[in-house]
Amino acid sequence: MLTDDDVDEIVFRAAGSGDHRGAAATLEELAARTENHGESVTRASLMVDAGSQFGLAQDWAEAVRCYRVAVEDGGTCEVDPRVWLHDGLLRDGKSAQAAALRAELKASRSTDPGVYEAVAESLEAVELLQDAHTWFTMGYHRCEQAPVPDFLLDLLLVGRRRVRRALGHPADPLDEVAEDYIETVGS
C-alpha cells in the first residue's frame, strides 16, 4: 500500500532535482494503480499531487487536466481538489472558469479553513487583492465556530492582514488578532 511517506519521497526528490514533470508522471502512474491506494493516498490525492508538480513546472494546462481528474474522481483529499483546480485555472488565464468555480466553492459553505486560504492565496498570487481579502475574511467568519484548531483561523487572519496592508486599509480588530498571533509565534 502507498503511504504519505511514499508520496513525500517523490515530491522531495523532485524538489531537489527540479524534475517536476518526471514526478508528475510517476504520480499519475501511481494514481492509475488503485489496488495500491489506501485511506490517505487515493487516486484523487495523487492527481492533485501530480497537478502540483506540473504547476511547479509552470505547465498550467497539464496541472488543470490533473486537477479536473481529481475533482471528477471524488476520492478523499486533504483539501477539496476544486481549490487547486481554481488555482490552475487562474494561472492558466481561464479567469471566467475560475470565477464560476469560485462561486461553486462559495455556495458550498465549507467550514474547512484550508479551502478559504487556498482560494484567497491563489487570488492574491494573481493580484486580485480585493477578492483575496473577501475570501480570507469569509473563511474566518464561516470557520470561527467550526471545530478547527485556532491556529488555522489565525493563519486566515494573517493572510487577511497581509492583503489589507497591500490594499492600504487601516488596521481593524481582526488585524490586531493577526498581529497578536504573529508576535506569539515569533517569540
Side-chain angles (χ1 to χ4, degrees):
M1 293 304 253
L2 283 170
T3 66
D4 290 324
D5 288 341
D6 296 326
V7 174
D8 289 346
E9 178 63 29
I10 294 165
V11 171
F12 292 145
R13 269 197 316 258
S17 69
D19 184 15
H20 297 293
R21 288 182 190 284
T26 299
L27 291 162
E28 282 195 80
E29 288 170 19
L30 293 172
R33 297 187 202 149
T34 56
E35 69 278 4
N36 294 331
H37 300 173
E39 263 185 57
S40 65
V41 179
T42 65
R43 180 173 181 253
S45 71
L46 288 163
M47 291 305 294
V48 165
D49 291 330
S52 296
Q53 291 300 307
F54 279 121
L56 289 169
Q58 300 296 307
D59 188 341
W60 295 108
E62 282 297 297
V64 164
R65 180 186 59 75
C66 291
Y67 297 144
R68 285 191 194 283
V69 171
V71 169
E72 290 166 9
D73 180 84
T76 304
C77 287
E78 188 173 327
V79 176
D80 187 330
R82 294 178 298 173
V83 302
W84 309 124
L85 176 56
H86 170 264
D87 181 67
L89 290 168
L90 276 177
R91 292 170 189 265
D92 199 30
K94 296 180 171 41
S95 56
Q97 289 179 45
L101 187 53
R102 214 166 35 253
E104 182 182 312
L105 285 161
K106 181 179 180 182
S108 73
R109 300 193 61 82
S110 175
T111 56
D112 177 357
V115 166
Y116 298 96
E117 183 178 25
V119 171
E121 287 181 352
S122 295
L123 291 163
E124 184 181 5
V126 297
E127 298 184 20
L128 294 172
L129 299 182
Q130 190 57 53
D131 291 331
H133 176 265
T134 297
W135 276 80
F136 278 124
T137 304
M138 178 173 44
Y140 175 77
H141 289 300
R142 285 188 175 176
C143 299
E144 65 183 324
Q145 300 302 319
V148 297
D150 287 343
F151 81 91
L152 294 176
L153 297 174
D154 291 332
L155 291 176
L156 286 170
L157 293 180
V158 168
R160 179 182 181 273
R161 173 187 160 272
R162 182 179 61 243
V163 169
R164 286 176 58 79
R165 283 187 168 180
L167 289 167
H169 295 325
D172 68 4
L174 291 179
D175 290 334
E176 291 170 16
V177 173
E179 289 289 340
D180 290 345
Y181 175 76
I182 292 168
E183 286 178 23
T184 302
V185 172
S187 47

